[in-house]
C-alpha cells in the first residue's frame, strides 16, 4: 500500500513538472526570441504606427524603426535610427548603393545614430532598380520633409550622404536641394548622365554647389575611375567650391560593404567612417565652414 501511494505521488510530481516546462517553452522562450532586454531597458520591441515594427538597440541608446515615405503617390519604406535621449539633433539622409539596402547599411545607420545623428535611409529601388533621377530627387526631398516633422531633428542642420549610385546622387542633388548644409559622396560617378532618365551629369552642376562636400574614393575603383574623381575635384577647385577628399590607395569600389553585404571592419573602412562623422560634426554642428 505504501509503495502504491509513493508511486502515485511520483507520477503526479512528474506530470506537474512536464506541464510547467511545456508552458515555459510556448509562452516565454527568451532564447528563440533573440536578445532580451534587462528590466531597466525599455522598448526593445514595440509596434510602430508607421509599418508595424519598431526596434531599439538594447546595447546602445538608439531607437530604430522603418517608416513609410510617400513620394509621387508611391509609398517607400525607409529605415531610420535616432539617439534615444531627448534632444534636437542634426539629421542625415543616407542613399544606399545600387545593390540595395544591405545589412551593413543598417549597422552604419545605427552607428551614426549612436554618434548623435537622426538618420533616414529610403529604399529608393522599391519600384525599380534604376528609377529616374526625378523620382529619386522627389524621394530625397520627401525624406527631408519627414525629418522636419520630427521633434528630435534640427531642420537647419541637414546633411546628405550616399554610396555608389548614392554617391552620384549626393554629387547631383547637393547643388540642387538647398535644405542640405553639407554632403559626403562615397565612390560616386561625377560624369554619369546625359540620358532620358538621367539627364544631368553632377559635374555640370558645380556652379550651383554652395555647401561643403567630402569625397571618399579608392584608387582601384573598377567602376568609377579615380582619374575622373581627380578631374572632378579639379573642376571644383577651379570654381572655388569648398570640398575635402579622402583617397585610399588600393581600395576597390564599394569598400565599405563586403561581398556578403556586411559592414566592413577593416582599418580603411573604420577610418573612412570616422572621416565622414568628423566632417558632419564640423559642417552641421558649427559654422566653421
Amino acid at each position: 500500500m505504501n509503495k502504491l501511494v509513493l508511486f502515485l505521488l511520483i507520477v503526479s510530481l512528474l506530470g506537474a513538472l512536464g506541464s510547467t516546462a511545456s508552458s515555459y517553452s510556448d509562452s516565454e522562450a527568451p532564447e528563440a526570441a533573440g536578445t532580451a532586454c534587462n528590466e531597466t531597458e525599455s522598448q526593445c520591441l514595440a509596434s510602430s504606427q508607421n509599418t508595424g515594427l519598431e526596434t531599439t538597440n538594447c546595447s546602445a541608446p538608439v531607437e530604430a524603426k522603418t517608416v513609410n515615405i510617400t513620394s509621387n503617390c508611391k509609398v517607400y519604406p525607409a529605415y531610420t535610427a535616432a539617439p534615444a535621449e531627448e534632444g534636437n539633433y542634426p539629421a542625415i539622409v543616407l542613399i544606399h548603393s545600387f545593390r540595395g539596402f544591405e545589412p551593413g547599411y543598417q549597422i552604419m545607420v545605427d552607428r551614426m545614430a549612436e554618434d548623435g545623428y537622426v538618420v533616414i535611409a529610403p529604399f529608393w529601388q522599391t519600384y525599380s532598380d534604376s528609377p529616374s533621377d526625378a523620382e529619386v530627387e522627389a524621394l530625397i526631398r520627401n525624406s527631408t520633409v519627414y525629418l522636419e516633422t520630427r521633434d528630435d531633428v534640427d531642420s537647419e542642420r541637414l546633411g546628405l550622404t550616399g554610396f555608389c549610385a548614392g554617391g552620384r546622387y549626393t554629387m547631383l542633388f547637393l547643388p540642387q536641394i538647398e535644405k542640405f548644409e553639407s554632403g559626403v559622396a562615397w565612390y560616386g560617378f561625377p560624369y554619369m548622365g546625359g540620358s532620358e532618365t538621367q539627364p544631368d551629369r553632377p559635374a555640370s552642376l558645380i556652379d550651383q554647389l554652395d555647401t561643403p562636400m567630402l569625397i571618399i574614393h579608392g584608387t582601384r575603383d573598377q567602376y568609377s575611375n579615380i582619374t575622373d574623381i581627380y578631374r572632378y575635384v579639379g573642376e571644383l577647385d577651379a570654381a572655388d567650391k569648398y570640398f575635402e577628399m579622402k583617397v585610399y590607395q588600393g581600395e576597390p569600389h564599394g569598400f565599405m560593404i563586403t561581398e556578403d553585404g556586411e559592414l566592413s571592419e577593416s582599418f580603411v573602412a573604420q577610418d573612412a567612417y570616422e572621416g565622414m562623422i568628423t566632417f558632419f560634426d564640423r559642417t552641421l554642428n558649427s559654422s566653421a565652414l
Side-chain angles (χ1 to χ4, degrees):
M1 184 68 178
N2 290 338
K3 290 182 178 180
L4 178 59
V5 172
L6 180 61
F7 174 77
L8 292 174
L9 286 173
I10 292 174
V11 170
S12 176
L13 179 60
L14 288 175
L17 288 174
S19 175
T20 301
S22 175
S23 175
Y24 180 84
S25 62
D26 291 340
S27 63
E28 297 183 26
E31 297 275 335
T35 304
C37 296
N38 296 326
E39 292 182 359
T40 56
E41 295 171 321
S42 62
Q43 292 185 330
C44 285
L45 185 62
S47 63
S48 169
Q49 294 180 351
N50 297 299
T51 60
L53 179 64
E54 178 176 348
T55 58
T56 297
N57 184 339
C58 299
S59 63
V62 168
E63 293 181 350
K65 63 182 177 181
T66 301
V67 301
N68 287 332
I69 302 297
T70 301
S71 182
N72 288 344
C73 299
K74 296 178 180 179
V75 177
Y76 294 81
Y79 183 76
T80 67
E85 184 177 352
E86 290 187 9
N88 199 230
Y89 299 98
I92 307 294
V93 177
L94 183 147
I95 310 300
H96 62 72
S97 77
F98 195 79
R99 287 171 50 177
F101 189 72
E102 298 175 285
Y105 289 113
Q106 180 172 331
I107 295 172
M108 186 185 300
V109 169
D110 290 346
R111 288 187 181 178
M112 294 172 73
E114 291 177 19
D115 286 322
Y117 293 88
V118 177
V119 185
I120 183 169
F123 299 175
W124 57 273
Q125 292 175 306
T126 298
Y127 297 95
S128 170
D129 286 342
S130 301
S132 69
D133 285 349
E135 291 176 83
V136 178
E137 179 181 0
L139 178 57
I140 293 174
R141 288 184 182 275
N142 283 300
S143 295
T144 65
V145 171
Y146 163 77
L147 290 173
E148 291 173 337
T149 67
R150 294 181 58 126
D151 293 335
D152 56 354
V153 169
D154 182 348
S155 60
E156 299 298 316
R157 297 187 291 164
L158 301 183
L160 176 66
T161 190
F163 303 76
C164 179
R168 174 182 176 270
Y169 291 138
T170 301
M171 295 171 171
L172 184 67
F173 298 129
L174 198 60
Q176 301 185 71
I177 302 178
E178 296 180 357
K179 292 181 179 180
F180 292 121
E181 294 298 313
S182 66
V184 179
W186 297 77
Y187 26 87
F189 298 81
Y191 298 99
M192 180 179 288
S195 68
E196 183 177 350
T197 58
Q198 297 180 331
D200 294 320
R201 296 179 175 87
S204 68
L205 302 174
I206 287 177
D207 288 344
Q208 296 176 226
L209 181 65
D210 294 320
T211 54
M213 177 166 55
L214 170 63
I215 298 165
I216 300 177
H217 219 83
T219 63
R220 302 288 171 83
D221 193 318
Q222 65 273 42
Y223 300 110
S224 178
N225 197 288
I226 189 65
T227 57
D228 285 340
I229 301 303
Y230 290 144
R231 175 186 169 193
Y232 178 59
V233 299
E235 293 179 12
L236 287 170
D237 183 55
D240 202 26
K241 302 298 182 178
Y242 185 85
F243 71 92
E244 296 179 15
M245 187 175 182
K246 291 181 73 70
V247 176
Y248 292 95
Q249 194 279 325
E251 292 300 317
H253 189 76
F255 62 81
M256 287 297 291
I257 305 295
T258 68
E259 287 297 322
D260 295 330
E262 300 297 330
L263 183 64
S264 174
E265 297 295 344
S266 69
F267 168 80
V268 165
Q270 293 182 57
D271 185 78
Y273 173 83
E274 290 301 327
M276 173 181 66
I277 294 300
T278 299
F279 181 79
F280 278 136
D281 284 346
R282 287 189 289 109
T283 58
L284 298 183
N285 290 324
S286 71
S287 57
L289 294 173

